[in-house]
Amino acid sequence: MAKLLDKQRYKCALGAMQTVQAIDRAIPILHSGPGCAQKLSDSIGSSGYFSPNIFPCTSINEKDVVFGGVKKLDTTIENALKVIDADLFVVLTGCIPEIVGDDTGEVVSRYQEEGKPVVYASTAGFKGNNYKGHEQVIDAIIDQFLEKSEEKEKGLVNIWADVPYQDLFWLGNIKELEKLIAEIGLTPNTIFGYKNGIDNIRKIPKAEFNLLVSPWVSLTNVKKMERKLGIPYLHYPTLPIGAFETSKFLRTVGEFAGVDKDKVEAVINEHENYYYYLIERYADLFLETRVMAKQFSVVADAQYALGITKFLVNDLGLFPAKQFVVDDTPKQYRDKIKEEFENLNYGIKAEVSFETDGYKIHNEIREHDYHGYPLILGSYYEKEVTGELAGHYLNISWPVQDKVVLDDFYVGYTGGIRLIEDIYSVAVQRFN
């Protein structure tokens, strides 16, 4: 019997067009039905070099279902190369051409043989969500564009983290990770964001190692780069938010990269001194704000659910209720992620539920005794249920509908301070 899924927090794999869009001067070419781009794009912050409303698209119809759409795909790629000034073209397939068996790879390979910067990724909606689509795009670049390099650039580190646009804070988070890595003497290389495009993609094989900051997304990608390109990787499963986790993160990266420990500690001390100076200035607020929640729940993808849970426990001393991971995490990664939720300070362990059904999540939130005002950090879907419980609500995960973010971030020492500001700004509003 069919089941209803209420308030899912992800899109279909074709949503990976936003991954392409986040690469400077890269353009998706959609082999799909009309309307997919508009339906899958976010209305805030997704215009970029080319708006999703004008992405090249085959707009396949009933005739193409019967006779195939490869001819239309061929002409669409040919004309896109003629009229669009871009450095990389990524063909993404929707459901219909994959159901009818269009050989997209064969069409694209002819352009690759001519030296054109065209790759393709299989992103049919029935193959997974946009987290998996994101991985498919990176795989396409690895398999079809990159070659192993014997030349290595000392200190060069490829950074992989957020899924662009799915995470509202992706740009700011990447920039802050780059800044932190640079401060300990390494050279960051990312392919997403401002001026991070084809040149950075070409530098990937020259890196000394890949740094993956994610519980599970892109783990298959860095493993593939280790096999194909000979690039070792460091997997750091927790998004570093606040002083405790960021200092741990820098020590881990520094040790892996062979950076002098005194240099790493000097960077950490400088940041921690200022971080705790700010905390001390508002210590009375943190200690005396009696309307602040005693317990909290995070409703987000694995990256934010884990990162924010560790921050709220380890830095702010709050106690976790159940946490909800909503990105449909593949089962093979769940046990490791559960272990991270149990690896908190003071012997505290957080219960985690891998749940995609908003109806079930909201019922569990309603039924839990938060011993006062609940603190709920989640998507816009959690606003109503938090209001029912007279709790504190902060929109930190997709979909985001109550804020505009240009390059704000929650990563690092500064990001932790910004998250504290956002949480306590909500709390003190009870006095107004």
Side-chain angles (χ1 to χ4, degrees):
M1 182 176 179
K3 295 182 179 180
L4 294 176
L5 179 61
D6 183 53
K7 299 181 178 68
Q8 69 180 44
R9 319 304 171 99
Y10 45 78
K11 310 166 189 174
C12 77
L14 189 61
M17 66 185 194
Q18 292 184 311
T19 296
V20 180
Q21 195 177 15
I23 302 172
D24 193 30
R25 291 179 54 80
I27 295 293
I29 297 177
L30 306 183
H31 187 27
S32 68
C36 287
Q38 192 277 331
K39 291 176 182 177
L40 291 171
S41 66
D42 288 329
S43 59
I44 298 177
S46 61
S47 297
Y49 186 55
F50 254 58
S51 166
N53 292 318
I54 54 173
F55 284 163
C57 181
T58 54
S59 297
I60 53 180
N61 53 35
E62 291 87 346
K63 179 181 178 181
D64 303 309
V65 172
V66 176
F67 298 103
V70 291
K71 289 184 179 180
K72 185 176 287 187
L73 173 62
D74 191 20
T75 57
T76 302
I77 297 173
E78 180 183 6
N79 291 322
L81 288 167
K82 287 179 181 178
V83 303
I84 297 176
D85 179 21
D87 295 330
L88 180 66
F89 298 81
V90 183
V91 178
L92 304 176
T93 54
C95 296
I96 298 172
E98 297 218 14
I99 291 174
V100 302
D102 283 356
D103 193 345
T104 304
E106 192 276 331
V107 176
V108 171
S109 67
R110 297 201 297 268
Y111 291 93
Q112 292 174 343
E113 290 169 0
E114 296 173 4
K116 304 295 185 183
V118 185
V119 300
Y120 80 96
S122 176
T123 52
F126 56 81
K127 290 191 173 182
N129 61 24
N130 54 319
Y131 292 93
K132 298 300 292 182
H134 171 81
E135 293 183 327
Q136 290 294 94
V137 168
I138 297 174
D139 266 354
I141 293 171
I142 297 168
D143 291 332
Q144 302 165 46
F145 195 82
L146 299 179
E147 297 291 339
K148 185 175 182 179
S149 173
E150 299 302 325
E151 177 189 354
K152 296 295 180 182
E153 185 176 327
K154 186 172 179 56
L156 185 66
V157 181
N158 299 322
I159 301 176
W160 309 93
D162 302 13
V163 176
Y165 295 102
Q166 178 71 14
D167 173 18
L168 188 69
F169 303 94
W170 69 273
L171 178 59
N173 283 347
I174 287 175
K175 289 174 62 180
E176 188 66 10
L177 286 172
E178 288 179 321
K179 178 182 175 183
L180 290 167
I181 292 302
E183 286 182 4
I184 62 173
L186 300 173
T187 304
N189 183 53
T190 59
I191 69 171
F192 303 115
Y194 179 63
K195 292 187 176 180
N196 293 343
I198 195 71
D199 290 338
N200 287 22
I201 291 175
R202 290 194 174 106
K203 286 196 294 185
I204 288 174
K206 298 180 180 180
E208 288 196 321
F209 67 95
N210 282 310
L211 171 60
L212 174 61
V213 186
S214 166
W216 70 272
V217 177
S218 287
L219 185 56
T220 58
N221 299 135
V222 295
K223 287 182 177 180
K224 174 173 283 192
M225 282 186 273
E226 184 177 54
R227 293 192 304 270
K228 181 183 177 183
L229 305 177
I231 308 173
Y233 68 91
L234 170 62
H235 179 203
Y236 197 86
T238 304
L239 189 70
I241 302 174
F244 183 84
E245 197 64 38
T246 306
S247 296
K248 181 181 175 183
F249 166 75
L250 289 176
R251 291 187 180 106
T252 302
V253 175
E255 181 179 0
F256 187 87
V259 178
D260 181 72
K261 289 184 179 181
D262 291 338
K263 183 171 186 176
V264 175
E265 291 302 320
V267 172
I268 290 173
N269 288 337
E270 181 178 353
H271 279 291
E272 285 190 350
N273 288 340
Y274 186 65
Y275 181 90
Y276 290 116
Y277 162 75
L278 296 177
I279 298 294
E280 288 173 356
R281 284 180 55 208
Y282 281 85
D284 55 345
L285 172 66
F286 302 144
L287 295 172
E288 297 298 331
T289 305
R290 298 182 181 181
V291 297
M292 188 55 193
K294 302 297 187 296
Q295 292 188 9
F296 67 90
S297 289
V298 183
V299 185
D301 58 18
Q303 178 156 264
Y304 273 103
L306 180 57
I308 291 178
T309 295
K310 287 196 172 186
F311 169 72
L312 294 179
V313 174
N314 297 342
D315 283 51
L316 293 188
L318 300 183
F319 197 85
K322 181 179 283 190
Q323 311 304 309
F324 300 92
V325 174
V326 296
D327 58 12
D328 198 21
T329 305
K331 291 182 179 179
Q332 66 265 33
Y333 302 121
R334 294 184 182 184
D335 287 343
K336 287 290 185 182
I337 294 173
K338 285 181 180 178
E339 289 177 11
E340 289 296 325
F341 275 99
E342 295 176 355
N343 185 23
L344 305 174
N345 288 350
Y346 323 115
I348 295 173
K349 297 181 179 181
E351 182 183 359
V352 57
S353 172
F354 295 89
E355 181 57 71
T356 58
D357 192 328
Y359 176 79
K360 294 179 180 178
I361 292 170
H362 290 179
N363 279 344
E364 289 200 51
I365 290 174
R366 289 187 184 97
E367 293 168 2
H368 182 77
D369 182 3
Y370 286 85
H371 304 286
Y373 302 109
L375 170 61
I376 309 296
L377 302 98
S379 77
Y380 192 74
Y381 296 143
E382 277 65 63
K383 185 173 185 177
E384 183 176 350
V385 68
T386 308
E388 292 175 16
L389 303 174
H392 304 300
Y393 160 78
L394 188 62
N395 194 176
I396 52 89
S397 62
W398 190 88
V400 178
Q401 296 182 13
D402 68 347
K403 66 174 66 177
V404 173
V405 174
L406 300 182
D407 67 350
D408 200 0
F409 57 93
Y410 285 151
V411 157
Y413 301 96
T414 303
I417 293 296
R418 292 183 177 181
L419 182 51
I420 292 172
E421 290 175 341
D422 288 348
I423 291 172
Y424 278 87
S425 292
V426 171
V428 298
Q429 288 178 23
R430 285 189 180 275
F431 296 118
N432 299 326

